[in-house]
């Protein structure tokens, strides 16, 4: 039996969250458990809504180094089902959301579950100055986008030699 839809597409918080979450490379939205989930490929990096008590909460996977500070902040809580896995939630309806902070939380969560190629694409977009869901000061330095190569000094393969 499918879960009933537990959100409204016109919800102002979801309307603001959706483009932030979908701006990451290869990010997709998939409805699961009646709620929007945002995925890097097949791996979830964010969920909108937790329960009927928190229909406008953002569930995310915090950076392990930042988790203790977030747990100490009264705005964050361990959501049902996801909490035992280390995930946290921020209720966007109760607190005046700082959307730059939301962007940073999404970025951190995305980087933990995304494939290496997706993170490289995110870093390359940030380095190229393209529109990125991540503020410049929150993104780690990107690797050079053009690798340096040296001319090959190996002998030609015997099949390629002129006869």
């Amino acid at each position: 039996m499918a879960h009933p839809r537990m959100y409204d597409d016109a919800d102002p918080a979801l309307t603001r969250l959706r483009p932030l979450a979908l701006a990451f490379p290869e990010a997709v939205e998939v409805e699961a458990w009646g709620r929007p989930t945002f995925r890097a490929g097949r791996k979830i990096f964010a969920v909108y809504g937790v329960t009927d008590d928190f229909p406008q909460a953002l569930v995310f996977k915090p950076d392990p180094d930042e988790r203790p500070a977030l747990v100490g902040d009264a705005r964050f809580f361990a959501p049902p089902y996801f909490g035992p896995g280390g995930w946290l939630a921020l209720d966007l309806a109760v607190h005046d959301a700082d959307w730059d902070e939301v962007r940073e939380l999404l970025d951190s969560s995305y980087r933990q579950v995304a494939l290496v190629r997706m993170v490289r694409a995110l870093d390359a977009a940030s380095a190229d100055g393209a529109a990125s869901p991540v503020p410049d000061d929150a993104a780690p330095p990107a690797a050079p986008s053009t690798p340096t190569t040296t001319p090959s000094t190996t002998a030609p393969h015997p099949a390629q030699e002129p006869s």
Side-chain angles (χ1 to χ4, degrees):
M1 174 181 209
H3 288 269
R5 183 175 253 200
M6 306 295 291
Y7 66 97
D8 180 0
D9 277 320
D11 177 334
L14 178 58
T15 302
R16 189 115 187 238
L17 177 67
R18 185 175 273 139
L20 297 176
L22 294 176
F24 292 96
E26 300 182 48
V28 296
E29 180 178 348
V30 176
E31 187 175 289
W33 313 291
R35 305 204 180 273
T37 65
F38 299 96
R39 301 171 187 229
R42 291 187 293 183
K43 294 191 175 187
I44 295 173
F45 69 92
V47 179
Y48 183 72
V50 180
T51 64
D52 290 340
D53 295 332
F54 300 103
Q56 291 181 310
L58 168 64
V59 179
F60 63 96
K61 186 174 186 176
D63 182 289
D65 294 336
E66 296 174 7
R67 190 175 192 286
L70 296 174
V71 168
D73 185 328
R75 299 174 303 148
F76 296 91
F77 63 95
Y81 309 108
F82 292 90
W87 291 61
L88 292 176
L90 170 64
D91 192 352
L92 301 173
V94 173
H95 305 283
D96 189 21
D98 175 348
W99 290 97
D100 288 332
E101 179 182 41
V102 169
R103 215 175 276 130
E104 291 174 15
L105 296 171
L106 289 169
D107 177 76
S108 177
S109 190
Y110 175 88
R111 288 175 183 279
Q112 290 181 70
V113 303
L115 297 174
V116 172
R117 78 165 187 271
M118 296 175 185
V119 174
R120 284 186 185 144
L122 176 60
D123 290 340
S126 296
D128 292 341
S132 169
V134 185
D136 291 337
D137 59 352
S145 60
T146 53
T148 56
T149 58
T150 55
S152 175
T153 57
T154 58
H157 188 277
Q160 295 175 337
E161 290 182 12
S163 41

